[in-house]
Amino acid sequence: MNKAIAEHLRVVADFQPSNADELEAFRLKYLGKKGVLNDLFAAFKSVPNEEKKEYGRVVNQLKNAAEQAVLRFKSELEQSKPLHSENDLTKTGDHVFTGSQHPVTTVRNEIVDIFKRIGFSVSEGPEIEDDWHNFSALNFPEEHPARDMQDTFFVHTDPDWALRTHTSSVQVREMEGNEPPIRIIAPGRVFRNEAISARSHCIFHQIEGLYIDKNVSFADLKQTLLYFAREFFGAETKIRLRPSYFPFTEPSAEMDIWWGLETETDYRMTKGTGWLEVMGCGMVDPAVLEASNIDPKVYSGYAFGLGIERITLQRFGIPDIRMLFENDMRFLNQFKGVI
Ligand code: PHE
């Protein structure tokens, strides 16, 4: 083979440009009008006849190799080059999808803020709880139906452990670990083994309140709840306390707020009474104080607990509790900018 052509083949095979200028110089040198290949093709006439076939083969081989090198390096250099638009400061920004706060979170934060303003601090406890903190220390008798499998999700390997059925378990932890005065609210998830429907779910959120000090009376409880109701539902809100029963409070009550009885919805929501049930409450039972090593002769206190979902449904006119847990973007997007 012609020595000069063999050398060109080697140069082309080894060619490795580090930038576009080097590639262009290479292209001009081999494929340009006055380039190596045109010269070689022009020299074809003067090649002796018996060498023409071999000469044509290697010159074409060189031409293909040079063309392929140019194509390959051209696309490689283009890919590594930053796109012009990335540096274009006048380009419109990409659309950024923002999230929004879940309505349950909004209502929880609002309630927490209301109690913080009168000196309550936030406390939390575990979602997987032992029998002592969820039931026994709260004065639930052994045979109490709430301990039944129907209501509680037990950890199947150890029935002493369960998903907490209420945030009252945090009361116990708080009293065990601290000296009075205690003034806390405890928001969190709770779990009940119940059928899921438009009105109830097996997972929901509660906020617990606990105040323990010397000389705490039922009047303190009532005034605190009235303050909360007026902050949350409006300054004219009326409340009433109805006698009720919880194993861990004595006396116990349900707090209702006056909702009104004008429309058909009012009838449905208040079951025809005009009153809306908002929370359970009462004076902490002396047996509960004792179980947590607080002397009931020195200290007294009140506790209350409310469900967040139900008042969230009322606040936003949401017809079905399940919507709060489905993570459906069509539902959640409606709260963008609203809250
Ligand atoms: N733990 C009760 C419930 O889940 C609510 C409650 C809390 C009642 C504190 C009284 C005092 O229904």
Side-chain angles (χ1 to χ4, degrees):
M1 192 200 294
N2 182 319
K3 251 186 159 181
I5 298 177
E7 175 63 15
H8 283 310
L9 276 169
R10 199 189 53 72
V11 170
V12 170
D14 289 348
F15 178 61
Q16 182 68 54
S18 48
N19 57 45
D21 289 346
E22 276 179 39
L23 180 61
E24 180 60 6
F26 172 87
R27 191 187 69 79
L28 286 174
K29 178 179 169 197
Y30 282 96
L31 301 165
K33 252 192 183 150
K34 293 176 183 159
V36 169
L37 278 154
N38 270 353
D39 288 351
L40 289 173
F41 281 121
F44 187 74
K45 320 195 264 312
S46 48
V47 172
N49 272 347
E50 65 277 14
E51 288 173 26
K52 272 196 159 70
K53 195 175 164 205
E54 174 61 9
Y55 183 88
R57 193 184 65 78
V58 289
V59 171
N60 271 312
Q61 187 187 342
L62 179 65
K63 182 177 172 243
N64 288 339
E67 280 174 352
Q68 268 171 26
V70 168
L71 278 177
R72 180 161 52 104
F73 290 124
K74 202 171 160 217
S75 73
E76 271 180 24
L77 285 170
E78 262 165 18
Q79 271 165 28
S80 61
K81 182 172 85 178
L83 288 174
H84 172 65
S85 57
E86 274 181 28
N87 300 324
D88 182 357
L89 300 180
T90 62
K91 191 175 164 256
T92 21
D94 289 335
H95 185 72
V96 176
F97 290 93
T98 52
S100 59
Q101 207 168 57
H102 194 281
V104 167
T105 306
T106 304
V107 171
R108 184 200 59 196
N109 290 350
E110 198 177 314
I111 297 169
V112 166
D113 280 349
I114 289 170
F115 283 105
K116 271 188 179 169
R117 292 205 285 274
I118 53 168
F120 283 79
S121 52
V122 175
S123 179
E124 278 180 351
E127 291 180 347
I128 301 174
E129 209 25 299
D130 55 20
D131 179 275
W132 171 255
H133 292 97
N134 197 79
F135 294 128
S136 292
L138 288 164
N139 208 27
F140 278 81
E142 278 298 332
E143 70 288 359
H144 196 283
R147 291 178 177 227
D148 205 294
M149 295 292 282
Q150 307 262 304
D151 297 315
T152 308
F153 288 112
F154 289 98
V155 174
H156 75 280
T157 49
D158 184 352
D160 195 45
W161 289 87
L163 298 179
R164 66 179 176 194
T165 58
H166 52 181
T167 44
S168 299
S169 54
V170 187
Q171 281 187 41
V172 180
R173 290 186 173 274
E174 199 60 37
M175 289 189 283
E176 282 174 345
N178 298 285
E179 293 285 316
I182 293 168
R183 185 156 42 185
I184 56 108
I185 42 168
R189 271 200 302 192
V190 300
F191 308 84
R192 289 197 194 163
N193 195 356
E194 277 173 12
I196 298 171
S197 70
R199 297 187 61 80
S200 67
H201 210 287
C202 59
I203 303 177
F204 54 101
H205 297 77
Q206 288 188 328
I207 294 192
E208 193 80 7
L210 176 70
Y211 179 35
I212 310 281
D213 204 348
K214 288 175 182 155
N215 303 317
V216 179
S217 72
F218 200 90
D220 296 322
L221 169 62
K222 189 174 176 188
Q223 195 58 33
T224 304
L225 297 187
L226 179 63
Y227 157 79
F228 162 73
R230 294 197 161 158
E231 290 291 307
F232 189 84
F233 295 100
E236 303 300 318
T237 304
K238 286 201 283 282
I239 66 166
R240 76 173 182 188
L241 292 169
R242 254 179 319 111
S244 184
Y245 173 77
F246 299 102
F248 39 95
T249 47
E250 183 58 37
S252 303
E254 293 280 349
M255 184 189 88
D256 301 338
I257 62 155
W258 176 247
W259 184 258
L261 202 51
E262 278 154 31
T263 67
E264 209 183 314
T265 315
D266 294 344
Y267 263 86
R268 191 167 42 76
M269 278 178 56
T270 66
K271 298 189 188 115
T273 65
W275 292 94
L276 202 65
E277 197 179 301
V278 174
M279 66 172 99
C281 61
M283 300 307 290
V284 179
D285 193 300
V288 174
L289 294 173
E290 249 163 25
S292 307
N293 295 320
I294 290 179
D295 186 350
K297 289 188 214 66
V298 182
Y299 294 106
S300 56
Y302 62 71
F304 56 86
L306 68 152
I308 303 179
E309 274 75 5
R310 218 149 49 88
I311 56 181
T312 305
L313 300 187
Q314 286 151 21
R315 155 87 37 118
F316 297 110
I318 301 165
D320 190 323
I321 193 171
R322 289 169 291 198
M323 290 177 163
L324 296 173
F325 297 99
E326 284 165 350
N327 289 333
D328 186 329
M329 294 305 284
R330 292 168 302 179
F331 171 76
L332 295 173
N333 279 336
Q334 293 179 56
F335 297 92
K336 265 192 191 168
V338 178
I339 49 183

